[in-house]
Each structure stands twice: as structure tokens, then as C-alpha cells.
Amino acid sequence: MLVTVIIFLREVLEAALILSVLLAVSFQFKLSRKWIFPALSIGFLGATISAYFLGDISNLLEGTGQEVMNSTLLITMCFLINIICIWIWQCLNNNQAAFSTLLAKNIKKILILDVSIAIMHEGSELSIYSYSLIQMHDNHLSLILGGGLGLGIGASLGAIIYYLLINMQKRTLLITAIAILILISAGMASQAALYLIQSGWLPSQLPLWDTSQIISERSIVGQLLYALIGYEATPSPLQILFYFAVIIICISSIILTTKTKRHN
Amino acid sequence: MESLNVVIRKLIIAFTLLFCSAVQAETPTYEIRIKDHLFLPSKLKIPANKKIKLLIINEDVTPEEFESYELNREKVIMGNRKGIVFIGPLKSGVYPFFGEFNPSTAQGSIEVK
């Protein structure tokens, strides 16, 4: 049952983190948080469908379909998170921007898309795992208890982060949110690079460093850091490149879009 | 704007070449089977500093996830399906891997020499 708890928690953690940060930002801007319902439904539907077809998806592109799909989802999320960060920064500097700009008018759609992709990406493995437990017959109790516990711990951590954030001062909250979102998306980009290396689309290289003796990826700290900043003990040079490229692109796009606004 | 287009075009060509070379490169293949939630063979020897292709064949009806923290790899392989995972180049050492869905039995390691 412990295995089930860990698998569920690992997958839920990152989606819960993104969800709680985006909910806290919506709360700060007095934006209705009802977008969570379509986001959750589309996410669960997407997870079930992609899990059902995973065998066929995997066979595509000479057996690399699974990796190409995962990295596409991850890169799409990086792009959406970047747009969300630009929106938060615009609102931080100009209160009216939260409602009036073109970006603000479409922000709910972007939030829904981002969260549903996050749930689809994390949830598809959970559906496959749950299905395998059901297939093995004798494990219903372990699935219900373990899965429930894993989901519960993940959701509680998300709730703690949400309440910590909404009790912060507006400026601190928004800057913290942008920082967390940028780090999460950098981790996603590094993960996307890893999938492409695993499937042979990008060249493999020796890892740049090895910190597994200091913080093991198996440890709880390692798992938390993985969800938060995409921690890897032995990253390849390409992963590091993707990681910092996303941070630089995100920060510079935020600065560039605010500058053009001021000139207007 | 024209120069930007040229740059983008060149980048696309460069990436296509990179991808093609990465995919077409001849790499030695090693097979691992999953049966009754066990890896067969559970110990595999591969050469150091060389890229290799792992062909993982799942003969169980249930899905399994091939996972290794040391190798930085994770891939779901559905029941009665197979999957490929490229690993290496690696330094010599022992790299454990496991089946995330059945970690109590599905354990193995790759020895790099």
C-alpha cells in the first residue's frame, strides 16, 4: 500500500503546487475561481483518454510516441506559464490590467488549459497504475486506501501553500507566485529534454555533475525539490541548457512586455 | 524580418539534421523482458562510455513502469507491449532500476564496465 501512496503523492504534488499558486493569484485579483471546475474535468478526461491509448501512442514514431507526447505537453505548459507570469507582472504594475487588457480577457482560458494539461500529464500514469491494480484483482483496498492517502497528502500540501500565499502581502504573493511558476516551468523544460534524450531524439551526454550523495532523488527532500524546482541529481548538459533557457526567456519576456507598455 | 526568417530556417535545418543523426545512429540493442513482475535478466552488463538501446518487452498483461533514478529514466510499458529506452554514455558503475508499479519484485541493475 505504501507504494501506492508514494506513486499517487509523487504525481499529485506538482499539479497541486501549480493549482494552489494559480488559485492564490486568482484570489488576489478577485478573479472568480470557478475556472477550476472545467480545468479539473478536462484534465481528468484527458488523463483517462491518453492512458487508454498509451499503448498505441507509444508505438508511434518508431516507439518514441510516449516521450514525444510528454515533452510536447511539458513544453506547452512552459509556454502557458510564461504567458501567465507576464499577466501577473502586468497586473502587479497596473491594477487595471487585471481586467482590461487582451491578455486579461483570455486569462481564464489560459489558466484552464494550463491546469488541465498538468492534470492530464500527471494523471495519465495514475490511471494506468490504478488500472493495473484493478487487473490484479486482490488490490482494491490498497488502491482505495493508498490512492486516497496519496491524493489527500498532496491536496493538503497544496492547501497549505494556498493559505500561506493568500496571507501574504499582495506584492510578496505575486512575486513569490512568479518565482515558483518560473522554477516549475524550468523543471518541466529539463524533464522535456530528458524525455527527448531517452527516446534518442536528442543526443545523450555524460551528466554534468552528481549530487546524489548530498540529496538523493529517492529521499523525501529530493522528491519535494523535484516537484518544486525540477531537481535532478545527475542532470545532462542539455537539461541544464533547457532549464536556464526557460528562466532567461521567461524573465526577459516579462521585462520586454512591461517596457513596451510604458512607451505606449 | 527577412534575416530573422533565414535564421529560423537555418535553425530548423540544423535541428532536423541533429534529430536524424541521433535517430539513425547505429546503437547496440539489449533486451530485457518483464514476466510475472520480474525483470529477465535482472542483471545486465554494458560497455562504459557507449550509448545503447534497451528493448523492454512486457510479457505480463499488466502495465509496468521501467524506472531508474541513477539512469534518469522512466517509461511506462503497457501489458503485452514493448518499449525502447536509450541509455548512456555512462561511467563504470552499477545502476539499479526497478518496476515502479511492482517494486517489491521488479528489481534489477545494469553494470557498466
Side-chain angles (χ1 to χ4, degrees):
Chain A
M1 193 187 92
L2 189 64
V3 176
T4 315
V5 178
I6 293 168
I7 291 182
F8 268 80
L9 183 56
R10 254 171 55 126
E11 301 298 321
V12 166
L13 213 52
E14 191 161 275
L17 191 61
I18 296 175
L19 190 57
S20 54
V21 170
L22 295 180
L23 280 175
V25 170
S26 303
F27 173 82
Q28 179 57 245
F29 291 141
K30 299 185 177 62
L31 200 72
S32 157
R33 277 154 290 165
K34 279 185 191 147
W35 57 260
I36 188 177
F37 300 112
L40 289 174
S41 339
I42 298 170
F44 285 126
L45 192 68
T48 319
I49 293 172
S50 74
Y52 186 78
F53 289 108
L54 194 75
D56 297 320
I57 294 170
S58 296
N59 279 348
L60 295 174
L61 305 164
E62 292 176 45
T64 63
Q66 192 183 125
E67 283 86 354
V68 172
M69 178 183 78
N70 281 335
S71 47
T72 311
L73 291 178
L74 288 164
I75 298 289
T76 312
M77 277 196 279
C78 287
F79 179 69
L80 293 171
I81 289 177
N82 194 344
I83 297 176
I84 294 169
C85 287
I86 292 175
W87 170 70
I88 298 174
W89 188 254
Q90 283 182 359
C91 302
L92 185 64
N93 292 304
N94 170 13
N95 237 336
Q96 286 302 309
F99 304 99
S100 57
T101 60
L102 177 69
L103 180 54
K105 279 179 187 139
N106 291 299
I107 197 67
K108 273 190 195 165
K109 287 175 205 154
I110 295 169
L111 291 173
I112 290 172
L113 194 58
D114 186 50
V115 172
S116 50
I117 293 176
I119 292 169
M120 175 182 165
H121 176 243
E122 309 284 340
S124 123
E125 194 185 315
L126 288 184
S127 336
I128 291 168
Y129 176 66
S130 311
Y131 173 66
S132 85
L133 282 189
I134 293 167
Q135 261 182 316
M136 287 190 272
H137 301 300
D138 50 358
N139 281 315
H140 285 96
L141 191 67
S142 119
L143 173 63
I144 294 164
L145 284 178
L149 208 56
L151 278 174
I153 299 171
S156 315
L157 284 173
I160 292 172
I161 291 165
Y162 173 77
Y163 284 108
L164 279 177
L165 283 171
I166 60 168
N167 282 304
M168 284 178 180
Q169 294 247 305
K170 184 179 178 185
R171 210 180 158 76
T172 328
L173 186 166
L174 297 178
I175 289 172
T176 314
I178 289 177
I180 296 177
L181 289 174
I182 290 179
L183 287 173
I184 292 177
S185 71
M188 287 174 169
S190 139
Q191 193 65 36
L194 192 59
Y195 279 128
L196 294 175
I197 295 169
Q198 165 170 314
S199 57
W201 284 93
L202 286 178
S204 338
Q205 296 149 306
L206 283 169
L208 213 50
W209 60 69
D210 184 355
T211 52
S212 57
Q213 298 302 316
I214 308 164
I215 304 172
S216 161
E217 279 178 55
R218 291 164 188 265
S219 66
I220 295 173
V221 180
Q223 297 279 337
L224 281 173
L225 283 177
Y226 171 76
L228 189 61
I229 61 165
Y231 173 75
E232 293 269 1
T234 51
S236 91
L238 270 171
Q239 282 184 273
I240 301 296
L241 181 75
F242 272 55
Y243 192 91
F244 287 103
V246 161
I247 295 184
I248 292 166
I249 291 170
C250 205
I251 293 177
S252 47
S253 66
I254 289 173
I255 294 170
L256 283 174
T257 44
T258 29
K259 268 202 179 139
T260 40
K261 272 272 167 303
R262 271 177 202 157
H263 282 302
N264 288 344
Chain B
M1 283 312 273
E2 268 183 35
S3 63
L4 185 68
N5 276 337
V6 173
V7 171
I8 291 172
R9 232 172 267 170
K10 276 185 181 164
L11 273 177
I12 291 172
I13 292 169
F15 270 104
T16 320
L17 286 176
L18 183 72
F19 285 165
C20 291
S21 65
V23 171
Q24 285 177 354
E26 278 297 314
T27 34
T29 306
Y30 291 77
E31 246 181 54
I32 295 181
R33 284 166 196 280
I34 301 169
K35 189 143 180 68
D36 301 324
H37 312 308
L38 292 169
F39 286 114
L40 303 168
S42 62
K43 286 190 168 51
L44 200 68
K45 276 185 190 169
I46 65 162
N49 300 315
K50 235 183 150 169
K51 183 176 175 177
I52 68 131
K53 184 174 168 182
L54 273 185
L55 175 66
I56 306 160
I57 304 163
N58 187 358
E59 292 178 354
D60 286 337
V61 286
T62 51
E64 183 57 276
E65 183 172 36
F66 174 86
E67 169 131 19
S68 169
Y69 291 111
E70 286 73 11
L71 296 164
N72 272 337
R73 293 292 180 266
E74 53 171 336
K75 176 153 184 154
V76 175
I77 297 137
M78 301 302 280
N80 291 320
R81 299 258 189 173
K82 48 192 169 184
I84 52 163
V85 170
F86 286 93
I87 57 170
L90 293 163
K91 287 181 193 157
S92 11
V94 178
Y95 298 79
F97 61 83
F98 62 102
E100 199 188 4
F101 295 169
N102 300 282
S104 54
T105 52
Q107 291 279 347
S109 63
I110 291 175
E111 191 186 345
V112 182
K113 253 187 173 170

